[in-house]
Every structure is written in structure tokens, then in C-alpha cells.
Amino acid sequence: MRKNRYGLYGYVSADYPGQAKCVLAWQVLDGADLSQVGSAAPRRAGIQMRVCDARAQPAELIAAFDSLRLDL
């Protein structure tokens, strides 16, 4: 588990030898989590992101989710 500005999220990394390293991250937000982005925020939102790169390390791949920003 890790945390970004919207709360905790889960992730898993995978290494495909000779091909790429991948990270899958997911997060479910409820209305309380989204209150900072405006009063018209949906009651619940789910986010999934998969990032792969042959040369990057998992920590580099997950960095994009650490700094995730939602504009609704």
C-alpha cells in the first residue's frame, strides 16, 4: 500500500525477463476523498493504471500514481 493526495492505493509489480517491468496500481475514492476537488465530485470513482518499461525500476513506474491529480 502507498499513499497519494487522495489516500491509500494498492499496487503490484511484475518483471517479465528480457521484456519489461510493469506496475499495476488501483484506487477507489469516495465522495469524502474527492471533496477537495469540488462540490460536483461523483460519489465514487475507481482508478486503475498500468505502466510498463523495459529500462525503469518499479519505484520509477509507480511515481506517476504517487503524484496523480484528478480534474473533474
Side-chain angles (χ1 to χ4, degrees):
M1 298 295 285
R2 290 177 68 111
K3 189 173 183 177
N4 62 19
R5 72 174 69 199
Y6 302 107
L8 295 174
Y9 67 88
Y11 77 99
V12 64
S13 61
D15 188 357
Y16 301 96
Q19 296 178 24
K21 294 178 181 79
C22 297
V23 169
L24 172 66
W26 62 92
Q27 187 169 26
V28 176
L29 307 170
D30 64 24
D33 296 329
L34 295 173
S35 63
Q36 63 185 353
V37 296
S39 60
R43 293 178 59 147
R44 180 164 283 221
I47 304 162
Q48 294 182 20
M49 182 175 76
R50 182 174 181 237
V51 182
C52 297
D53 191 312
R55 297 176 304 254
Q57 294 300 313
E60 296 170 294
L61 297 174
I62 200 64
F65 213 83
D66 285 341
S67 60
L68 178 73
R69 179 184 161 146
L70 296 175
D71 292 317
L72 302 173

